[in-house]
Amino acid sequence: MPLLRIAQAQVNLTVGDFRGNLEKIGDWIVRARVAGADIVTFPELALCGYPPEDLLLRPRFLLDNRLALNALAPKCTGILVLVGFADTVNDKVANAAALIGDGLVQDVYHKIELPNYGVFDEKRYFHPGSRCMVLEISGVRIAVTICEDIWIEGSVTEACAIKNDAQITLNISGSPFYAGKLAVRTSIVTRFARATNTILCYNNLVGGQDELIFDGGSMVVDSKGTLVARAKRFEEDLFLTDLNVDALENKGPLWDICGTPKLLLFESPTDRSYTAPSIEADLSRIEEIYKALVLGTRDYVRKNGFKKVLIGLSGGIDSALTAAIAVEALGRENVIGVTMPSEYTSTETLSDAAILAENLSIELITLPINRVFGAYLSAMEGPLSRGKPSVDLENLQARIRGNMLMALSNRFGWLVLTTGNKSETAVGYSTLYGDTAGGFAVVKDVPKTVVYELSEYINRKAGKELIPRSVIERAPSAELRPDQKDEDSLPPYSVLDPILRAYVEEDKAPEDINGFDPALVEEVARMVDRNEYKRRQAPPGIKITPKAFGKDWRLPITNRYIDGKMKEKT
């Protein structure tokens, strides 16, 4: 039977690396051509990397983007290529897809639906397209779309595919990850396929870009909404799908909607054997979170030119988890642990830091802070004598540790990974310029309860205790004063995390968060709101929840609003 072979190149690219991206795209075009593909797609804005953000405001960046497209075109022979890039027409920038064949750019499609919510700011940079694209190859009609085009029910692109009797929809995408996002994407792809009666080939980006993780999971869904094939997740993949041309061919009229072109390109070869599609196995929630954290750490470190990382090992679970993830991402030879005991550090936590380093086979540096702490107190004896000791002495110890880590970073070029989790970050249970000092926050968006789940998963996966059982079972403590416990300042994490999820991720007002002491809910909300100034000064971290602090969350620092208080007054 005559086959139409579609390749989806699920690749990991870097924002602004035109030479590197061009080289990788060229290599994967060759791979797709050798595999006998008729057409190969690349993700959204593949040439310039996604998301380029305010680089799109630089004229030279846009020119280099066009030069990269011109350089790519001659590589596109013997195969049709669909690749994302940023197009400029009459000083207006568009999120675009170039259709390249026979060494020439055949046509360009501009994304019509521009998302402007959550992590997306596309209306800041792009102008929406005004016409659809339907191409024809071997008598098969193929609609071209970009990401959000298929997310909007009743969209122009949906109407175009229906009116032009398209049999296939190609969608190139840059859909960022959060736990459970794959199910959301699958429902969107399924809905569009059913609505348009098309086979939908969805190609998603893979890789880490600052806070965002792109998990791949490219897929093919048939016109009835059945998942036919799915690519790997959290890694690159050349994803091939064979379609029976005889079953797809449609000889009806091609309607001209929004200036839709009819492109007659080349005929598909008929001498290939059919390749059955495959579906990569599902991942559990904890598995996908773990893979996202590993990928995000690896890409942030590597893409920013670092080789080794440095982690302050307190003997607690957050630093243990961060170290285990770093070893998986970068290799044990590229992870250095530093333990910085004070007079309040228990022998148990000090021992556990050493055991963890041994279990992970990483270098461990020990730097006691007592002498430095004493020197600070001596130097500031006069001013500090005016008041009573308070949180200032606790924070001073944390800042000494931060200074030590940054000194090592400066000397050796090691990137400091901070270890604060989402629960602490939310309520400000951290020290500015202390435990927040560093370049990347691996578990910044991981609630404390999930920190425990991940630690148990890592040990199960290893088949042994990489993270010591005593670390997992010990009550969490900053150990900055005698017998200190987190629960001296915070509610139990099993209570705190559900409140934070409702308030931060679900945008619920405190009065609408049920099942907890109303006074406690009010206090947690107050802590979240008043600590925005700390979050603004913290390093970026990996997004794994639907709403992460950072691009998702834009609370004003100067802010007197309190949920429900206006209602009470009226």
Side-chain angles (χ1 to χ4, degrees):
M1 63 180 174
L3 298 175
L4 181 66
R5 178 164 292 174
I6 297 174
Q8 298 183 80
Q10 180 178 285
V11 287
N12 188 341
L13 304 162
T14 302
V15 168
D17 184 11
F18 288 110
R19 290 185 180 180
N21 293 348
L22 180 62
E23 181 178 356
K24 175 169 280 191
I25 291 169
D27 289 345
W28 283 67
I29 288 172
V30 172
R31 291 178 59 179
R33 187 164 51 227
V34 169
D38 301 298
I39 182 168
V40 58
T41 68
F42 290 87
E44 183 175 12
L45 294 177
L47 265 181
C48 61
Y50 183 84
E53 298 181 307
D54 278 13
L55 288 172
L56 291 164
L57 304 179
R58 299 184 181 182
R60 182 68 208 193
F61 180 84
L62 296 170
L63 174 60
D64 287 343
N65 175 81
R66 172 58 71 168
L67 292 174
L69 180 66
N70 294 342
L72 178 66
K75 302 175 185 289
C76 304
T77 57
I79 191 170
L80 191 63
V81 177
L82 186 70
V83 61
F85 78 111
D87 194 20
T88 306
V89 179
N90 298 326
D91 295 325
K92 293 182 178 181
V93 183
N95 185 335
L99 182 68
I100 314 173
D102 295 329
L104 298 171
V105 177
Q106 303 282 340
D107 200 6
V108 173
Y109 167 72
H110 290 173
K111 185 177 181 179
I112 294 175
E113 303 292 345
L114 302 179
N116 219 64
Y117 53 85
V119 301
F120 304 106
D121 288 314
E122 293 207 17
K123 290 183 181 178
R124 173 179 172 86
Y125 308 110
F126 298 121
H127 288 263
S130 59
R131 70 175 180 89
C132 300
M133 178 188 288
V134 175
L135 63 98
E136 187 171 302
I137 176 171
S138 302
V140 177
R141 291 178 182 173
I142 304 174
V144 173
T145 59
I146 301 176
C147 203
E148 190 79 0
D149 287 332
I150 69 169
W151 286 64
I152 306 301
E153 190 169 354
S155 65
V156 172
T157 52
E158 184 177 307
C160 176
I162 294 170
K163 193 167 186 180
N164 283 288
D165 292 323
Q167 294 105 331
I168 298 171
T169 297
L170 300 180
N171 184 266
I172 61 172
S173 181
S175 177
F177 167 83
Y178 60 75
K181 183 69 173 289
L182 180 63
V184 176
R185 280 194 218 113
T186 303
S187 68
I188 294 296
V189 169
T190 296
R191 187 210 63 79
F192 189 93
R194 287 173 175 165
T196 57
N197 195 34
T198 62
I199 296 171
L200 205 159
C201 299
Y202 173 87
N203 185 0
N204 193 31
L205 183 65
V206 70
Q209 172 59 32
D210 293 346
E211 298 173 315
L212 301 182
I213 304 301
F214 300 92
D215 56 312
S218 302
M219 67 186 84
V220 176
V221 171
D222 69 19
S223 59
K224 295 181 181 178
T226 302
L227 180 66
V228 174
R230 188 172 64 216
K232 297 174 182 177
R233 297 184 68 199
F234 303 101
E235 59 183 287
E236 294 183 315
D237 198 5
L238 185 67
F239 185 44
L240 300 173
T241 305
D242 286 343
L243 302 175
N244 184 346
V245 172
D246 288 340
L248 291 170
E249 195 169 350
N250 188 321
K251 298 297 184 181
L254 188 71
W255 294 88
D256 185 18
I257 178 170
C258 300
T260 301
K262 180 178 182 180
L263 301 175
L264 298 173
L265 296 165
F266 52 87
E267 290 296 312
S268 240
T270 58
D271 58 348
R272 294 169 299 187
S273 58
Y274 174 73
T275 300
S278 62
I279 299 176
E280 283 292 312
D282 289 331
L283 300 173
S284 71
R285 169 177 155 273
I286 288 299
E287 283 176 317
E288 66 175 3
I289 291 173
Y290 177 73
K291 285 181 176 290
L293 295 172
V294 170
L295 175 60
T297 301
R298 180 186 299 123
D299 274 7
Y300 190 88
V301 172
R302 296 291 184 247
K303 290 181 180 181
N304 283 289
F306 293 94
K307 183 179 180 181
K308 295 191 175 187
V309 297
L310 186 66
I311 303 166
L313 296 183
S314 66
I317 194 167
D318 297 318
S319 60
L321 175 61
T322 301
I325 289 168
V327 167
E328 180 72 15
L330 306 168
R332 63 190 183 191
E333 68 279 6
N334 295 315
V335 180
I336 298 95
V338 182
T339 181
M340 295 165 282
S342 74
E343 63 178 295
Y344 305 117
T345 302
S346 67
T347 55
E348 291 82 2
T349 55
L350 189 58
S351 173
D352 282 340
I355 293 170
L356 175 74
E358 183 178 354
N359 290 352
L360 296 176
S361 299
I362 64 173
E363 179 183 353
L364 180 65
I365 298 171
T366 301
L367 298 173
I369 69 168
N370 286 341
R371 190 170 61 177
V372 180
F373 184 49
Y376 265 99
L377 294 181
S378 177
M380 300 181 69
E381 183 177 6
L384 291 181
S385 66
R386 301 175 189 175
K388 294 181 179 180
S390 180
V391 71
D392 57 303
L393 299 186
E394 296 178 31
N395 288 341
L396 181 55
Q397 295 171 72
R399 290 183 178 120
I400 290 169
R401 289 171 171 144
N403 278 330
M404 287 181 166
L405 290 172
M406 292 309 301
L408 291 170
S409 174
N410 293 160
R411 174 63 63 92
F412 300 110
W414 301 334
L415 178 69
V416 176
L417 301 182
T418 64
T419 62
N421 59 65
K422 186 171 189 175
S423 308
E424 296 169 345
T425 300
V427 297
Y429 194 64
S430 60
T431 301
L432 275 180
Y433 327 119
D435 54 341
T436 61
F440 194 60
V442 175
V443 296
K444 178 180 179 178
D445 195 38
V446 181
K448 186 76 169 189
T449 49
V450 180
V451 166
Y452 284 102
E453 291 183 74
L454 285 165
S455 299
E456 296 281 13
Y457 168 75
I458 285 171
N459 285 350
R460 288 198 307 272
K461 180 173 176 287
K464 58 183 179 180
E465 280 190 17
L466 288 181
I467 298 176
R469 174 56 45 188
S470 53
V471 171
I472 296 174
E473 294 178 351
R474 184 187 305 112
S477 169
E479 291 194 323
L480 296 172
R481 64 174 185 263
D483 300 319
Q484 184 181 24
K485 300 290 184 293
D486 287 7
E487 289 187 14
D488 296 341
S489 306
L490 302 173
Y493 288 110
S494 59
V495 174
L496 178 61
D497 281 356
I499 295 174
L500 291 173
R501 183 168 58 250
Y503 187 63
V504 174
E505 296 175 22
E506 299 171 8
D507 290 315
K508 288 186 178 180
E511 63 191 67
D512 297 326
I513 300 174
N514 301 317
F516 305 95
D517 177 6
L520 175 61
V521 173
E522 290 277 0
E523 175 60 15
V524 169
R526 186 182 66 83
M527 287 192 288
V528 172
D529 291 352
R530 76 178 183 182
N531 281 288
E532 180 64 18
Y533 77 100
K534 285 189 180 181
R535 293 189 289 269
R536 292 284 185 94
Q537 300 178 68
I542 300 165
K543 171 183 166 67
I544 62 103
T545 66
K547 180 175 283 189
F549 294 118
K551 290 171 70 67
D552 274 330
W553 175 272
R554 304 177 194 186
L555 197 73
I557 296 174
T558 306
N559 168 24
R560 291 186 178 179
Y561 179 72
I562 301 175
D563 280 297
K565 295 304 179 184
M566 190 67 185
K567 179 180 177 181
E568 290 177 11
K569 290 180 180 180
T570 57

